[in-house]
Amino acid sequence: MSIASSLRLVRDTLPSGVELVAVSKFHPVEALREAYDAGQRVFGESRVQELVAKAGELPGDIRWHFIGHLQTNKVRQLLTVYVDTVESVDSIRLLKLIDSEASRAGRRVNVMLQVHVAKEETKFGFAPDELVDELTAEVVSSLRCVKITGLMGMASNTDDEERVSADFAAIAEVHCRLAADVMAGFPEFCQLSMGMSHDYHIALRHGATMVRIGTDIFGNREY
Ligand SMILES: *Cc1c(COP(=O)(O)O)cnc(C)c1O
């Protein structure tokens, strides 16, 4: 099936108002262009160099989302291109660094905080209680160029639907806690980025407003 038809199939399953991030990591620029020509404007990449290279070859109205682990020494390079949202902010240190680098570059950047609930040990992100503790009013009010638009998270990589469901529910719950507390005065804190090709139908049931889908659009990746 063509990328355009896969994209249409995925779009048709999404409720209106849910943002589709087309995860194009490891796929060639031609594949992204095909999706772009079919109307897709939001793309997700997980490596800084790859995002920067692709952004240089594709139209300027693409809204790039960074979704991978971001090393502090790569923040400056990432901000050389128009990155709409860094979805994978996994420490307060990184949050503050993105803010100061954005300020230095005269840019504004949206960020999402990554919550870790999955049982895999290797995934990055804040544990729910850790995030509630560390994201203080002082931290939030210190940000100048960064807007926190929501939370991003992944469920455990398992066929156990109940486990996946519980993981998404846990991410949504942290969002509620923060929205009622430290983020109460920030209406832009309204996004929940959860769900990938194999589990986004479950994420939608838990209030995902943004889904990150690669394989269902572009096919399998070559690693
Ligand atoms: C690769 C990736 C996705 C997309 O995964 P698919 O299974 O290909 O849909 C979503 N989110 C993150 C953080 C990823 O790294």
Side-chain angles (χ1 to χ4, degrees), residues 14-199:
L14 297 178
S16 70
V18 170
E19 181 93 84
L20 172 60
V21 180
V23 176
S24 48
K25 62 187 183 195
F26 303 103
H27 291 286
V29 167
E30 298 72 55
L32 283 76
R33 199 180 300 278
E34 212 176 315
Y36 180 89
D37 289 342
Q40 183 64 29
R41 291 295 179 272
V42 183
F43 289 87
E45 288 285 338
S46 59
R47 294 187 304 190
V48 172
Q49 253 165 344
E50 191 176 341
L51 189 156
V52 170
K54 285 173 171 172
E57 292 191 53
L58 288 161
D61 62 342
I62 288 179
R63 281 175 282 139
W64 295 99
H65 281 216
F66 189 79
I67 62 169
H69 177 60
L70 181 54
Q71 291 168 293
T72 50
N73 64 359
K74 297 275 176 69
V75 172
R76 191 168 291 184
Q77 191 191 0
L78 181 63
L79 295 185
T80 59
V81 295
Y82 173 69
V83 176
D84 178 83
T85 302
V86 179
E87 292 197 25
S88 43
V89 175
D90 58 5
S91 72
I92 299 297
R93 177 166 171 250
L94 180 60
L95 176 68
K96 290 180 164 173
L97 180 65
I98 294 171
D99 188 56
S100 62
E101 287 294 331
S103 169
R104 182 180 168 274
R107 293 270 317 280
R108 298 198 164 267
V109 186
N110 298 319
V111 302
M112 307 179 85
L113 303 168
Q114 184 172 355
V115 181
H116 173 98
V117 293
K119 62 175 186 246
E120 287 85 23
E121 303 258 313
T122 53
K123 285 191 179 157
F124 295 101
F126 292 92
D129 289 336
E130 178 192 16
L131 178 56
V132 171
D133 281 352
E134 292 186 13
L135 190 69
T136 60
E138 193 185 356
V139 169
V140 175
S141 66
S142 75
L143 302 172
R144 292 287 168 263
C145 298
V146 153
K147 218 186 242 183
I148 306 176
T149 56
L151 302 183
M152 183 271 251
M154 277 179 264
S156 304
N157 187 10
T158 166
D159 291 336
D160 177 357
E161 279 218 8
E162 285 190 11
R163 172 72 212 207
V164 170
S165 208
D167 286 348
F168 287 137
I171 299 166
E173 204 236 318
V174 192
H175 183 262
C176 277
R177 284 165 72 188
L178 294 171
D181 183 25
V182 68
M183 298 308 292
F186 300 86
E188 70 270 19
F189 184 72
C190 60
Q191 302 286 346
L192 262 182
S193 174
M194 0 185 250
M196 308 163 48
S197 293
H198 66 283
D199 59 12

Side-chain angles (χ1 to χ4, degrees), residues 1-14 20 22 30-40 200 213-219:
M1 207 188 331
S2 72
I3 288 172
S5 357
S6 306
L7 192 54
R8 200 170 318 115
L9 275 183
V10 170
R11 281 211 197 105
D12 285 347
T13 65
L14 297 178
L20 172 60
E30 298 72 55
L32 283 76
R33 199 180 300 278
E34 212 176 315
Y36 180 89
D37 289 342
Q40 183 64 29
Y200 75 92
I213 298 180
T215 309
D216 277 4
I217 298 172
F218 297 106

